[in-house]
Amino acid sequence: MRDLHFPGRSPVYAVNGLCATSQPLAAEAAIAILRQGGNAVDAAIAASAVLCVIEPYNTGIGGDCFALLSKKGGGEIIGLNGSGRAPKSLSFEKLRAKGVEQLSLNSVHSVTIPGAVDAWARLVEDHGTMELGRLLEPAIAYAEEGFAVAPRIAMEWQFLEGHLAHDADAPRQLLIDGKGPQAGDKFRLPVLAETLRRIAREGRDGFYKGPVAEDMVAKLQALGGFHELEDFAENAPEYVTPIKTSYRGREIHEIPPNGQGITALLMLNIFSRLDMGRLDPHGAERFHYEMEAARLAYDMRDKYVADPDFGEVPVDRLLSDGLAGELAARIDAKSRISDLSTLRDPLNRETIYLTVVDKDLNAVSFINSLFFGFGSGILAPGSGVMFQNRGSGFVMEEGHLNCVAGGKRPLHTIIPAMMSEKGKTVMPFGVMGGAYQAVGHAHVVTNMLDYGMDVQEALDSPRAFPGAEALDIEKGLSAETRKGLEARGHKLSEAFLPHGGGQAIFIDHARGTMMGGSDPRKDGAAVGY
C-alpha cells in the first residue's frame, strides 16, 4: 500500500444533510435552513449570500455564479449559467479608439453585468422551497449587525488594500482608516444590508431595476463605462446542458463554455491515456504528467473557449478521443514540452465554492465570485455593490473567439463540478482559485479514483499549477519530487498563497450516508447533521 499523505482533519459524515463551504458561518447558515425544512438549493443560496458579506473580497452580489443541480440523487444534472454579459454598446473598436490594449483588472471596461442575484432568484423560484427573502436573512443580519473577521479573511483583506485605493468610494465602506480589518474585529456593511433588504422584498428586480440599478449605472458611467440601465434590466441566467467525460467508471459533469470546465475534462481524457494510477501520488512523475496535461489543455482553452452565442466553440472536438490521444502523445515522461505558449491568465483569483446535499439527496454544486480580490475595486456608493472584473477574461485580439464584444460573456474560470456513477450522483465538488480550478478538478478526481483517497485527503493533497514563468508549487511536495520536476525541465516557484480551497460531498447510496471534506488552506468547514 502506498504511503499516502493524510490530512490534518477528518472528513465529516452525516445522514440528514451536509454543507461544505469556505467559512463556518456560511455552513452554519446552510444547515439552519435545512433544519427548518429547506432543501439543498435553499441552503446553498443562504450560504452564498452570507459569504457575500463575510468574505467580500472573494464574492459579492456584484459578481457571477454557476450551479449544477441533481435532484434526489439521480444522474440527470441540471446546469445554470449565471454569468453576466458585457454592456451591449461596448465594442472592440470603441476600446481601441480609447487606446485600450488590454482590459486591466481595475478598469471600468472589465465590469460585466453581475449575474449572481438573477441566478439565485431563478434557482429558488424553479427548484427551491422557501422565499428568497427568508434565505437572505442571515446575510442581512451579518451585514447590519456585524461579524467577527476571521484571521485568514483579515490577512487577504489587508493584502488587497491597495487594489481598493484607486476608487474613492470603496475604501469608505470596506476599509478602516485606509486599512483592512484585523482578525477579531467586528465589521459592518450597512449600505450593503439595505440593498440585500431591497432584494429580499422585491426579488431580482430590486437589484436589476430601480434605485440599486440606477446607482450602479451612475457609478459606472461616471468612470466612462458603456453600461446602461437596459443592460441590467435585460440580464437573465441560462439553463445549459452540462458537458461530461468518463473517467475510471465515473462520469464527471461540468458547465459548458463560456466556462472553462471543458479544460478539466480534457485533462482527464489525457490522464486516461497515461495510466496515472501506477504512479506515486506525490512523486515527480505524477506531477510532471499532470502539469504537462494542464499546459496542453489550457492551450486549447485559450484558443477555443468563449461565448458560444458569438461563434462556434468546438466542444465535440475538444472532448474527442482523437484529440486526447494526440495531446497525450506529445507528453514525454522525461522532458517538459518546450513549444507551448504560456497561459493567457496564469494568476489565481479569489472565489467561493460551496456544496450542499439534503436528506432527499438533492445535491447542489455552487460557485460565486467577483474574479480578482474585490473584483474591479469599483464600488457603487449608494448600494454598496462591489463590481466584478470578469471582462478582463476577454482578449483584445480581433477575430479571436474570445475577443471582447457588446452583449458577450467572457471566458469564465469559475466552474462547479459533479460526479455520477451508474445513473446516480455520487459527488458534487469544486475548488477555488481562478485559472487553477480546472487543474484542481482533475487533481481531486485522480486523487480519489486513481489513488483511493477520501474526499478530505483528495482536497488536502499538495498541488501545483503551471504559472507564466514556472510551476507554482504548494508546501508539502518533497525535496525528491521537486528535484525530479527540475530534472524534467520545470522551473519551480513557491506559491505565495495556496492555489485555493475546495469542497466536496461524497454520497454513499448503499449505506445511506454522506461524507464531506473542506480544504483547510482556507477556513473551510464541512457541517452535517
Side-chain angles (χ1 to χ4, degrees):
M1 180 177 177
R2 290 191 180 91
D3 182 19
L4 297 180
H5 170 81
F6 289 96
R9 62 169 72 179
S10 298
V12 173
Y13 286 85
V15 174
N16 296 307
L18 203 152
C19 174
T21 81
S22 58
Q23 227 285 332
L25 296 179
E28 179 189 39
I31 293 298
I33 291 295
L34 294 182
R35 287 183 179 276
Q36 293 165 23
N39 67 10
V41 170
D42 300 320
I45 301 304
S48 181
V50 167
L51 289 165
C52 287
V53 174
I54 66 175
E55 291 191 25
Y57 58 91
N58 273 335
T59 190
I61 60 175
D64 283 346
C65 84
F66 292 82
L68 292 173
L69 168 64
S70 166
K71 292 194 172 183
K72 298 186 177 180
E76 181 181 353
I77 312 299
I78 299 167
L80 186 71
N81 181 329
S83 62
R85 299 175 182 272
K88 287 190 297 184
S89 63
L90 180 69
S91 70
F92 172 81
E93 293 77 16
K94 289 178 180 178
L95 290 176
R96 289 302 295 268
K98 286 178 172 283
V100 177
E101 297 295 330
Q102 64 178 7
L103 292 166
S104 65
L105 294 173
N106 59 7
S107 167
V108 69
H109 304 305
S110 74
V111 178
T112 49
I113 306 304
V117 172
D118 233 341
W120 296 359
R122 179 66 60 83
L123 285 168
V124 170
E125 181 179 354
D126 294 349
H127 306 289
T129 65
M130 293 182 172
E131 295 294 323
L132 179 61
R134 183 176 177 186
L135 303 177
L136 297 183
E137 287 175 1
I140 292 169
Y142 284 124
E144 194 167 64
E145 299 167 16
F147 58 94
V149 177
R152 174 60 187 264
I153 293 174
M155 179 190 70
E156 296 196 22
W157 201 323
Q158 292 162 23
F159 178 73
L160 291 161
E161 290 167 359
H163 184 55
L164 298 175
H166 75 95
D167 182 74
D169 296 308
R172 295 190 185 103
Q173 296 190 30
L174 291 164
L175 300 178
I176 304 169
D177 297 325
K179 301 292 183 182
Q182 301 290 317
D185 282 351
K186 185 176 182 179
F187 200 88
R188 298 175 61 246
L189 291 163
V191 179
L192 180 61
E194 285 303 310
T195 297
L196 289 169
R197 284 193 181 280
R198 182 177 292 275
I199 297 168
R201 291 193 306 269
E202 302 175 15
R204 61 87 61 194
D205 284 355
F207 183 84
Y208 294 95
K209 298 179 180 180
V212 173
E214 291 164 4
D215 176 60
M216 292 190 287
V217 170
K219 178 57 183 275
L220 294 168
Q221 289 184 350
L223 295 173
F226 294 92
H227 309 76
E228 302 285 350
L229 287 171
E230 185 180 17
D231 293 314
F232 284 82
E234 293 181 353
N235 184 78
E238 177 186 2
Y239 281 110
V240 293
T241 302
I243 54 177
K244 63 183 179 180
T245 197
S246 296
Y247 190 76
R248 304 288 186 256
R250 307 282 175 92
E251 289 190 321
I252 312 302
H253 306 258
E254 300 273 0
I255 293 284
N258 57 309
Q260 68 162 343
I262 197 168
T263 316
L265 301 184
L266 181 51
M267 284 186 65
L268 291 172
N269 287 344
I270 296 171
F271 288 172
S272 293
R273 287 148 182 82
L274 299 176
D275 191 16
M276 298 291 284
R278 65 186 169 82
L279 306 174
D280 178 350
H282 300 107
E285 193 171 8
R286 183 264 172 102
F287 278 96
H288 171 67
Y289 279 145
E290 187 173 284
M291 294 299 96
E292 293 296 272
R295 293 176 65 220
L296 290 161
Y298 278 75
D299 183 57
M300 293 292 103
R301 182 202 77 162
D302 289 347
K303 289 175 180 174
Y304 299 115
V305 174
D307 186 344
D309 291 347
F310 285 74
E312 184 178 356
V313 180
V315 171
D316 291 342
R317 167 64 176 158
L318 292 171
L319 294 180
S320 68
D321 289 340
L323 180 61
E326 289 173 23
L327 296 179
R330 294 190 63 187
I331 299 177
D332 184 332
K334 300 298 183 183
S335 179
R336 176 182 182 272
I337 300 170
S338 61
D339 59 347
L340 275 176
S341 59
T342 58
L343 273 65
R344 285 187 183 273
D345 175 31
L347 298 177
N348 295 329
R349 314 301 189 186
E350 305 291 351
T351 241
I352 66 95
Y353 171 81
L354 64 91
T355 177
V356 185
V357 177
D358 64 27
K359 61 181 175 58
D360 296 317
L361 301 186
N362 297 304
V364 177
S365 185
F366 189 98
I367 198 159
N368 209 112
S369 176
L370 291 171
F371 193 32
F372 194 73
F374 285 119
S376 62
I378 300 170
L379 182 131
S383 58
V385 175
M386 175 61 71
F387 295 109
Q388 65 184 359
N389 51 1
R390 278 292 162 190
S392 59
F394 286 121
V395 297
M396 288 290 291
E397 184 180 323
E398 195 168 16
H400 192 286
L401 277 172
N402 189 38
C403 182
V404 64
K408 189 175 185 178
R409 297 169 296 188
L411 181 154
H412 235 285
T413 57
I414 60 173
I415 47 173
M418 197 84 81
M419 181 187 292
S420 65
E421 181 182 22
K422 297 178 180 178
K424 293 182 178 180
T425 291
V426 294
M427 191 174 75
F429 70 100
V431 300
M432 298 170 278
Y436 170 75
Q437 291 179 43
V439 173
H441 285 199
H443 189 71
V444 167
V445 169
T446 192
N447 277 347
M448 295 184 70
L449 302 188
D450 286 313
Y451 306 123
M453 300 183 193
D454 66 33
V455 291
Q456 189 61 59
E457 292 171 319
L459 291 165
D460 192 59
S461 175
R463 306 170 299 186
F465 182 70
E469 304 296 334
L471 295 187
D472 293 324
I473 58 173
E474 292 181 336
K475 294 178 180 178
L477 288 185
S478 69
E480 182 181 1
T481 296
R482 295 177 186 221
K483 184 181 294 185
L485 287 169
E486 289 174 332
R488 289 168 170 83
H490 297 284
K491 294 180 180 179
L492 306 182
S493 65
E494 191 83 27
F496 173 66
L497 290 172
H499 292 311
Q503 279 74 240
I505 299 174
F506 180 78
I507 303 170
D508 191 329
H509 290 271
R511 294 196 287 181
T513 61
M514 54 194 79
M515 173 177 61
S518 188
D519 198 322
R521 294 170 180 84
K522 296 280 190 177
D523 290 327
V527 179
Y529 76 110

